[in-house]
Amino acid sequence: RAVPEPDDCEPFVIQGGGFRREDGEIVAVPATRDPVPSESENGRSNGELYSVSLALTGGNRNSGTTQFFVNLDEDNASLDAQGFTVFGLVTGGTEVVDAIVAVETEVGSILGSEQSLPVDDILIVRMVRLAPGPAEDL
């Protein structure tokens, strides 16, 4: 989903994982592992464009499981203090992230009145984990 700021129509993150469409309905994806403890003080910031963070449940810093989000706004550094752990960075394919932001959205049944659910499903087919090297700091 492309999540807009309150009182704004521009998304500040795109969020994925945690839900799927089944017979036209949005259903939760059960967690397959225990929640991950927050590592939000790892030196990474949600204020870095295209950084990838673990989403939380109910504001609990130690509740991350299957949902993640990609930061689209440098003002998102305020999320650091809330316990959102940055665990990755989109280093290639940022145009794909931008294309996701531009898809048509609708109000979702589980999201109240928020206009953020893509009309058509978006499927991430492939992600690659790069091991940090001497010139990289992932």
Side-chain angles (χ1 to χ4, degrees), residues 2-74:
V3 185
E5 286 274 14
D7 303 320
D8 193 353
C9 60
E10 292 297 318
F12 73 106
V13 299
I14 58 169
Q15 185 172 356
F19 297 91
R20 70 172 176 258
R21 197 177 313 255
E22 215 171 80
D23 297 323
E25 297 294 320
I26 302 298
V27 297
V29 174
T32 56
R33 301 198 172 162
D34 291 337
V36 177
S38 177
E39 296 178 6
S40 61
E41 296 176 9
N42 63 9
R44 310 286 180 225
S45 177
N46 287 282
E48 184 172 0
L49 290 178
Y50 303 112
S51 58
V52 184
S53 291
L54 194 57
L56 305 176
T57 302
N60 179 346
R61 299 171 71 87
N62 301 310
S63 64
T65 56
T66 60
Q67 294 185 64
F68 63 92
F69 60 91
V70 179
N71 286 292
L72 305 173
D73 192 329
E74 291 174 335

